[in-house]
Amino acid sequence: MDISPLEQDWRDKMGADSAMEYLKKNNKLLVSPGTGYMASQENSEISAIRRQCRKVIQEYSWNMVFADDEQEFNRLYDQMYKEVMELGYETMLEVDLQNAKAKEAARWEAVERFEENNRE
């Protein structure tokens, strides 16, 4: 199979033939333990913000991909950013960050329990 110049450049810079090889060689691969953690059901306000932001981001992202120039791209990005912030993006982000932190804490707790149960 032919390797594109971009692929070859990546391989040369990363010192690996694939992303998995790079992660293994550089000790960047981590298995995340399973847990019973489930985020609580989000309220209707957050769900509405999420739907509205998703719609705005999808619409502007497509327009940004096909922007005629960098100036148009930046204008579209700025408008997208303004609209999602007005919709309450930061409120949604805070909920998502809290859920991510709780999930991470549950994973570390699972690791600690595993280690405690396997000490000899």
Side-chain angles (χ1 to χ4, degrees):
M1 207 161 109
D2 290 338
I3 299 170
S4 72
L6 180 62
E7 176 76 14
Q8 189 60 53
D9 183 59
W10 183 91
R11 290 178 177 196
D12 293 344
K13 283 187 171 76
M14 304 311 260
D17 289 337
S18 68
M20 184 59 73
E21 182 183 332
Y22 170 81
L23 293 171
K24 287 178 181 177
K25 283 173 71 173
N26 292 281
N27 199 27
K28 301 282 184 186
L29 195 59
L30 178 67
V31 176
S32 178
T35 69
Y37 174 80
M38 286 185 58
S40 59
Q41 186 172 354
E42 65 185 23
N43 65 41
S44 60
E45 177 188 2
I46 297 299
S47 293
I49 292 170
R50 190 178 304 284
R51 279 191 307 275
Q52 292 169 332
C53 287
R54 181 182 301 125
K55 183 179 176 187
V56 169
I57 292 169
Q58 286 173 343
E59 179 183 331
Y60 277 95
S61 294
W62 276 110
N63 291 331
M64 288 161 49
V65 166
F66 297 107
D68 290 332
D69 54 33
E70 190 172 349
Q71 183 179 5
E72 181 184 4
F73 177 93
N74 290 332
R75 182 186 59 75
L76 290 166
Y77 175 84
D78 291 343
Q79 185 62 34
M80 176 185 70
Y81 181 86
K82 179 180 177 225
E83 287 186 30
V84 296
M85 290 306 193
E86 288 172 354
L87 290 169
Y89 183 87
E90 287 181 326
T91 302
M92 178 188 68
L93 179 61
E94 183 59 36
V95 169
D96 289 348
L97 289 173
Q98 288 173 359
N99 288 335
K101 288 176 184 177
K103 187 174 187 177
E104 180 184 19
R107 286 177 172 165
W108 282 114
E109 183 180 324
V111 169
E112 290 170 11
R113 279 196 316 265
F114 175 81
E115 289 174 348
E116 286 174 6
N117 292 334
N118 291 291
R119 285 190 190 129
E120 292 183 51

